[in-house]
Amino acid sequence: MSGIFRKLKQFDAYPKTLEDFRIKTYGGATITIVSGAIMFLLFASELGYYLTTEVTPELFVDTTRGEMLRINMDVTLYHIPCSYLSIDAMDVSGEQQLDVAQNIVKQRLDRDGSVIDGSETVAVVGGISDNSTELQETVECGSCYGAETPELKCCNTCEEVREAYRRKGWAFNLPDGIVQCEKEGWTEKLRAQKDEGCRVQGHIEVSKVAGNFHFAPGKSFQQHHVHVHDLQPFGTSQFNTSHTIHRLSFGQHYPGILNPLDGYTEISLQDSIMYQYFVKIVPTVYHPLSGELVKSNQFSVTKHMRRTNPAAGETGLPGVFVLYDLSPLLVQITEHRRSFAHFLTGICAIIGGVFTVAGMIDSMVYHSARALQKKIELGKAS
């Protein structure tokens, strides 16, 4: 049995020396301290890397059909009052959302860009007011001035008259002679808000096909299959479309998403500028470790601007237009935990590598010092 143990000793790859034959030096101690510090720093770095989540992107063909696209927006137009502003959305399938108000909040801003107190809701000139309530109490069915429809037979407010005109495709000119508008002070409100701005916040739901949405002055309506904005009530007013896009995104938020238009500002010294943002949307599905699937979209954008002046033959509508198209590809991003075996392998590599290199440096320093010392002693002896 003792012979077997003696043969087993021959496989020892780490032979030991007697304590009396070991020499400890100041240089070796310094190298040991430095290498220990390096090991600790590399271990902390490897641990931090292991604790982070690994994100793997993959590319697929988008086969989803019939889904809706949520557009989140927070946009400020500094020189167009909320009462003038219309938000419309339309797509290539022919679906239109005119003068969107659902899930949209308009805040009136003064000349300095500060929110006017008490204007956190949609502020539309000609909307329901105290005077309109009084009018409804005294007039059961007001006239729509020839614009009555089966769906809208009575117009008890100025806004209902404007809506009736819009459905008929008629332009709403000066409200003189319209009882509802005169009692509500529609013209006075229009003039009072002339120098204000507007901040639009909220979201709209559209079909998942190519389309556009825009912020532009004037009541919008459809006339002979053409999208029209009625600017006649504003006379010869010129609209400055300077704006800031605080936030614009498509779908839900997920970690690491970058929306290129967030915080983007355009200040124009000219009036009647038409800003166009051409957006290419890439559908994105995010699989977090929690298992809750996040459906979102990434997008790229190019910008274009031009002046609109019908008198000079420059057609168009001043405003901010976002024209979007969808990519046929889908990006799937999946979170993974990093391998613990890989972490252990990295730790062993750090300890072994630093230990080996430190030993080589220590040996080199020790033998160099001894050789130098011998030369010095020989020089003194001679």
Side-chain angles (χ1 to χ4, degrees):
M1 184 66 70
S2 60
I4 295 176
F5 283 112
R6 280 196 298 270
K7 288 182 179 181
L8 185 61
K9 288 182 180 180
Q10 296 177 5
F11 294 99
D12 186 3
Y14 308 100
K16 286 77 177 175
T17 59
L18 296 174
E19 189 70 28
D20 295 339
F21 295 99
R22 293 181 180 177
I23 301 174
K24 296 185 178 182
T25 62
Y26 291 109
T30 302
I31 293 173
T32 302
I33 294 173
V34 172
S35 61
I38 293 174
M39 286 184 190
F40 176 77
L41 292 175
L42 292 178
F43 170 78
S45 175
E46 187 71 15
L47 179 62
Y49 177 74
Y50 168 71
L51 294 177
T52 59
T53 302
E54 183 179 6
V55 178
T56 305
E58 297 175 286
L59 203 60
F60 300 93
V61 175
D62 186 10
T63 58
T64 58
R65 294 293 181 270
E67 293 187 348
M68 300 297 289
L69 179 66
R70 175 174 171 142
I71 304 173
N72 308 298
M73 63 185 72
D74 184 356
V75 180
T76 294
L77 292 100
Y78 296 102
H79 304 290
I80 300 181
C82 292
S83 57
Y84 291 24
L85 192 63
S86 177
I87 304 156
D88 308 314
M90 55 199 70
D91 58 43
V92 294
S93 68
E95 182 180 349
Q96 296 190 13
Q97 299 182 44
L98 303 181
D99 201 9
V100 180
Q102 186 176 6
N103 299 319
I104 295 293
V105 173
K106 295 180 181 178
Q107 290 182 312
R108 294 167 54 192
L109 306 177
D110 59 23
R111 291 185 177 182
D112 299 325
S114 301
V115 176
I116 297 176
D117 294 338
S119 65
E120 287 77 10
T121 57
V122 178
V124 180
V125 168
I128 297 176
S129 64
D130 294 337
N131 292 333
S132 64
T133 303
E134 180 182 349
L135 181 64
Q136 291 180 20
E137 293 176 355
T138 57
V139 181
E140 294 183 357
C141 184
S143 172
C144 294
Y145 301 90
E148 292 85 355
T149 61
E151 296 81 15
L152 188 61
K153 297 180 180 179
C154 301
C155 298
N156 294 329
T157 67
C158 187
E159 181 62 23
E160 289 179 353
V161 176
R162 295 182 70 199
E163 178 64 19
Y165 273 53
R166 184 187 68 80
R167 293 186 182 186
K168 282 285 189 178
W170 298 352
F172 186 82
N173 296 321
L174 294 177
D176 298 338
I178 297 178
V179 177
Q180 295 92 324
C181 296
E182 290 179 353
K183 289 193 174 183
E184 293 178 13
W186 192 87
T187 304
E188 289 74 14
K189 291 180 181 179
L190 202 67
R191 291 172 180 170
Q193 298 184 22
K194 182 179 180 181
D195 297 323
E196 294 181 1
C198 187
R199 181 166 183 171
V200 181
Q201 297 172 291
H203 69 272
I204 56 177
E205 298 273 350
V206 297
S207 298
K208 197 176 178 180
V209 295
N212 78 84
F213 62 95
H214 55 263
F215 309 84
K219 187 77 172 179
S220 58
F221 59 93
Q222 197 76 4
Q223 188 176 49
H224 304 301
H225 306 289
V226 177
H227 183 71
V228 179
H229 280 249
D230 181 16
L231 301 180
Q232 293 190 21
F234 313 127
T236 58
S237 299
Q238 297 291 315
F239 298 98
N240 186 307
T241 52
S242 298
H243 61 278
T244 293
I245 301 176
H246 305 284
R247 182 174 67 98
L248 179 64
S249 63
F250 299 84
Q252 298 173 275
H253 175 82
Y254 68 85
I257 188 172
L258 295 176
N259 299 313
L261 285 177
D262 286 2
Y264 182 76
T265 298
E266 277 283 0
I267 301 298
S268 174
L269 300 179
Q270 294 181 311
D271 293 333
S272 301
I273 299 295
M274 180 181 186
Y275 291 97
Q276 294 175 303
Y277 297 92
F278 297 90
V279 172
K280 190 70 172 183
I281 299 174
V282 181
T284 303
V285 177
Y286 193 86
H287 291 271
L289 290 174
S290 61
E292 297 179 2
L293 187 69
V294 178
K295 292 185 177 181
S296 185
N297 299 274
Q298 303 178 72
F299 68 92
S300 61
V301 62
T302 56
K303 299 178 284 290
H304 177 71
M305 59 175 286
R306 64 185 178 90
R307 182 176 172 81
T308 61
N309 186 0
E314 299 170 340
T315 59
L317 179 68
V320 179
F321 292 74
V322 180
L323 301 93
Y324 57 88
D325 195 6
L326 288 104
S327 169
L329 300 178
L330 179 142
V331 176
Q332 179 175 291
I333 303 175
T334 307
E335 290 184 351
H336 300 283
R337 293 195 183 278
R338 301 192 185 276
S339 170
F340 183 70
H342 185 275
F343 170 69
L344 289 180
T345 302
I347 294 302
C348 292
I350 289 171
I351 295 174
V354 174
F355 184 80
T356 302
V357 172
M360 294 171 60
I361 295 174
D362 177 65
S363 177
M364 182 180 64
V365 170
Y366 174 71
H367 289 96
S368 299
R370 285 194 63 185
L372 183 61
Q373 186 176 5
K374 286 182 179 180
K375 287 184 179 181
I376 293 173
E377 290 177 352
L378 288 174
K380 289 182 178 180
S382 60

